[in-house]
Amino acid sequence: MMLARKLLFAVCCAVIVPAYASDPEARAWLERMSRALSTQSYDGRFIHRSPSRAESMRIIHRVDSKGRITERLVSLDGSGREIVRNENEVICYLPDKRLVLVEKRTDSNSLVSALPVYNDALESLYRIERSGRVIKALGRKTQIIEVQPRDQYRYGYRLWLDQETAMPLKSQLCDSNGNVIEQILFSELNLHDRIPADQLKASITGEGFRWLRQDDTVAPAMAKAVIGWNVARLPAGFRLTTMRMQIIAGSPTPVGHLVYSDGLASVSVFIEARGAQAAQLHGLAKVGAAFAFSRDLDGHQVTAVGEVPAATVEAIAAGVMRQTGQPEPAAPAPTAPAAASNPQQQPATR
Amino acid sequence: MTDPVKEQLSACLDGELPEGELDLLLRQLQRDPQLRQSLGRYSLVGEAVRGQRPVCASEGFADRVAAAVAAESVAAETSGRPVRKVSSARVVEWLRPVAGMAIAAGVAAVAVISLRPAATIESAQMAATTETAGIESSEPASYTVPTNIDSSPGAAFVPAARLTNYVVAHSEFSSPLGRRTVLSGVLSDDDQNPNDDDIEVKVSGTPQSSNGGSAESQR
């Protein structure tokens, strides 16, 4: 009997494992790409193209001697918008709106923790494939890697990775039918050993603009406001990876922020008490390739945001629940894994 | 108010005012508090907004109104002069129903949303829907028309900023590729110039591990 069981187990393994077993080379390429993106200093220009528009951008990505990343993204097409992202904050300069948004980064490790890990769990949600040969694209030798979603709740990527550097020279965001949602096409890419810090300074000062900053005086005690909220029904593969308070620039009330990830795609859920000055958001909205869906719940506004199909943010927003009967003070630790660490994820810097 | 200005305003509300004239009108509007005041009472606006004919603002108009309103409110906030506050309020009041939608259009650069002002106007909805039509068409038929109701006067600017806030906050938890996509979306404008095929990428420098002596040679 024992033997029969072992045999059965072996057969199961043989059947189950190969179902998602894929080209280890393809994974290796994706890991090479991740490493290149997080360790390499570079600047370049790319076209960000969606079905409705194309926009050229400049990117300057600096990794200093301590491995800290600063990135500056500049729109070259008239609006003059810029985003500067460093260890401490993300600053969005929107000169066409005479507005500057400053987001403090509270989790210094979010950069690392957001790095996808290409393992079997991920491959149960995405098919990862490599085209067998080297393709000449954009004037360089590239390797095409496809990350195809297995259902309609997430997007995949088609990546043209530079043979020599593993940098993505062209990347397409695709839906589960393979339709291209948008693409990023590099027209120039320069790798550097060092980039002077002053190149990471925005070209505009934002003087005279309206600055929206987070109010640091918001009581940390408010952090319990996030406790008791969760998403009852999640699309396959999504799990809670982070639970935190988000202080929103220009708002005195903190906002609960839950992050759900399937290992590659992520969706944030923001929970905000409906107040006089809270933004009134309803239904579906779109920001670039990201969707947002807002609804009312129990005197709160719940918004799900992510670079996922509309159906996913809608489903997640619809699944948000407030657990009742929660003792208000001294609430026990939430049942969900509140810690920011996803057991599947490991420090990715090496 | 002179007839040319009246005509300009009417054309402007219909989104038919040429770029140059639009600039001029808005500059005039920003300079001249009296003009703004009279505009506040200008009945055409009410008609256009509450009336039957669809109000459709051009993209340029939307952006400029958005910028003008933002500039106004900043000026009002920082100067604190009551006169300016009044005028700013009036501009907002005047622009409010149209601007609600127009700002939404301006904001479409940040967020493709339709914004329905307090007085629910079908025409505005219509106009706003045309704004997003390009993107909507690629969506499944079951797709809900994005709606964004804003009822507090003068707050038309906030929802989009809030959405941008959310998106930026979210991007910190995205994978590197996802973040690039999301942040590019925040930066993107509405301009349509999809004509960049057959691009050749120039790559210079050497991978991190080896020395990068040729890094600048491309320039």
Side-chain angles (χ1 to χ4, degrees):
Chain A
M1 267 302 110
M2 215 37 197
L3 185 72
R5 268 193 202 167
K6 271 185 185 162
L7 211 68
L8 185 69
F9 180 73
V11 168
C12 285
C13 289
V15 172
I16 293 164
V17 172
Y20 297 135
S22 70
D23 186 356
E25 277 278 303
R27 282 191 199 177
W29 269 101
L30 290 171
E31 277 154 13
R32 256 189 89 193
M33 175 193 73
S34 286
R35 209 155 50 235
L37 285 174
S38 57
T39 58
Q40 182 73 60
S41 287
Y42 57 91
D43 70 28
R45 282 161 205 269
F46 64 84
I47 314 271
H48 174 244
R49 187 197 281 170
S50 66
S52 64
R53 59 175 182 252
E55 172 122 357
S56 65
M57 309 262 182
R58 174 145 194 249
I59 185 168
I60 301 153
H61 183 98
R62 175 178 190 254
V63 183
D64 72 10
S65 53
K66 291 189 178 115
R68 289 175 303 204
I69 294 175
T70 314
E71 189 172 273
R72 181 175 157 217
L73 208 53
V74 186
S75 161
L76 298 174
D77 287 347
S79 72
R81 293 183 185 178
E82 288 194 28
I83 294 178
V84 177
R85 185 170 168 275
N86 60 34
E87 282 283 287
N88 307 313
E89 52 193 13
V90 185
I91 311 171
C92 304
Y93 297 87
L94 309 172
D96 51 330
K97 310 248 167 280
R98 302 186 60 77
L99 186 68
V100 180
L101 286 181
V102 185
E103 291 284 340
K104 276 246 160 44
R105 296 184 53 197
T106 45
D107 315 77
S108 53
N109 64 336
S110 68
L111 202 114
V112 167
S113 65
L115 278 180
V117 176
Y118 300 99
N119 54 19
D120 290 344
L122 193 69
E123 292 203 32
S124 69
L125 304 167
Y126 299 88
R127 194 176 293 113
I128 298 176
E129 283 171 358
R130 174 183 62 122
S131 111
R133 57 214 169 85
V134 172
I135 307 282
K136 196 119 188 258
L138 305 163
R140 297 275 297 185
K141 284 181 184 163
T142 59
Q143 177 70 58
I144 300 179
I145 305 290
E146 296 216 41
V147 181
Q148 298 163 350
R150 294 183 192 269
D151 66 22
Q152 72 279 20
Y153 285 111
R154 57 211 100 227
Y155 291 142
Y157 293 93
R158 194 174 296 131
L159 304 163
W160 282 254
L161 303 182
D162 188 49
Q163 178 83 3
E164 188 189 349
T165 63
M167 292 288 283
L169 300 183
K170 176 175 173 181
S171 59
Q172 294 178 334
L173 186 70
C174 304
D175 66 15
S176 55
N177 298 321
N179 300 321
V180 178
I181 309 293
E182 63 159 45
Q183 59 178 332
I184 285 175
L185 275 166
F186 271 86
S187 57
E188 189 184 336
L189 181 64
N190 308 301
L191 306 182
H192 299 287
D193 282 345
R194 271 182 304 123
I195 291 181
D198 62 1
Q199 285 195 23
L200 279 301
K201 283 206 186 91
S203 59
I204 17 178
T205 58
E207 211 181 303
F209 291 0
R210 184 167 163 214
W211 284 69
L212 287 181
R213 288 176 177 282
Q214 287 136 308
D215 184 357
D216 289 337
T217 62
V218 174
M222 295 294 285
K224 71 172 193 287
V226 74
I227 292 169
W229 293 88
N230 67 359
V231 179
R233 298 170 306 276
L234 287 163
F238 281 92
R239 29 184 281 125
L240 185 70
T241 58
T242 303
M243 202 176 203
R244 61 194 281 270
M245 288 312 292
Q246 170 72 24
I247 314 285
I248 292 284
S251 168
T253 8
V255 171
H257 183 186
L258 309 174
V259 183
Y260 293 87
S261 169
D262 72 354
L264 185 61
S266 55
V267 174
S268 285
V269 174
F270 296 97
I271 299 146
E272 184 171 3
R274 274 258 190 247
Q277 54 219 293
Q280 308 279 303
L281 299 166
H282 285 276
L284 200 63
K286 201 172 192 289
V287 181
F291 277 106
F293 191 91
S294 304
R295 72 182 188 104
D296 279 324
L297 182 64
D298 210 1
H300 289 70
Q301 175 176 279
V302 169
T303 304
V305 181
E307 66 286 6
V308 292
T312 312
V313 286
E314 227 174 309
I316 289 181
V320 174
M321 305 258 293
R322 188 179 200 181
Q323 283 154 10
T324 46
Q326 188 102 21
E328 262 303 305
T335 48
S341 63
N342 178 341
Q344 284 172 22
Q345 294 178 338
Q346 56 208 25
T349 40
R350 5 191 145 167
Chain B
M1 195 183 335
T2 57
D3 274 343
V5 174
K6 211 184 270 184
E7 264 171 41
Q8 265 187 330
L9 178 67
S10 165
C12 153
L13 286 173
D14 288 332
E16 285 162 10
L17 198 66
E19 284 258 308
E21 280 182 69
L22 185 61
D23 266 333
L24 213 66
L25 179 68
L26 281 167
R27 229 174 297 142
Q28 224 173 329
L29 206 62
Q30 262 177 322
R31 256 201 322 263
D32 186 354
Q34 259 196 322
L35 181 60
R36 281 200 298 268
Q37 272 198 329
S38 39
L39 283 178
R41 292 190 293 267
Y42 194 29
S43 59
L44 170 73
V45 179
E47 277 166 37
V49 167
R50 278 174 287 279
Q52 296 69 32
R53 86 188 144 110
V55 180
C56 187
S58 72
E59 275 175 33
F61 173 66
D63 284 333
R64 282 182 183 78
V65 168
V69 172
E72 265 302 324
S73 45
V74 167
E77 270 166 34
T78 52
S79 74
R81 280 182 292 158
V83 185
R84 276 193 85 76
K85 264 188 185 150
V86 168
S87 69
S88 136
R90 277 196 184 276
V91 168
V92 171
E93 186 191 334
W94 163 66
L95 288 168
R96 164 104 217 112
V98 182
M101 190 210 86
I103 288 169
V107 155
V110 177
V112 179
I113 49 172
S114 69
L115 193 146
R116 192 162 34 181
T120 312
I121 312 156
E122 269 178 16
S123 55
Q125 186 71 30
M126 244 171 68
T129 313
T130 56
E131 279 302 326
T132 57
I135 288 152
E136 297 287 334
S137 57
S138 64
E139 299 301 336
S142 62
Y143 202 75
T144 330
V145 173
T147 321
N148 186 349
I149 299 160
D150 174 15
S151 51
S152 50
F157 217 64
V158 180
R162 178 61 49 92
L163 197 55
T164 308
N165 263 318
Y166 282 171
V167 169
V168 172
H170 166 73
S171 73
E172 286 305 304
F173 296 87
S174 297
S175 68
L177 286 175
R179 186 183 309 120
R180 185 167 292 174
T181 281
V182 169
L183 293 182
S184 295
V186 171
L187 285 186
S188 279
D189 223 311
D190 268 335
D191 297 4
Q192 303 199 1
N193 48 341
N195 55 352
D196 313 277
D197 248 318
D198 308 316
I199 301 155
E200 284 220 334
V201 63
K202 286 177 279 175
V203 176
S204 81
T206 42
Q208 237 254 329
S209 46
S210 43
N211 85 48
S214 62
E216 294 301 319
S217 63
Q218 199 73 37
R219 298 285 159 101

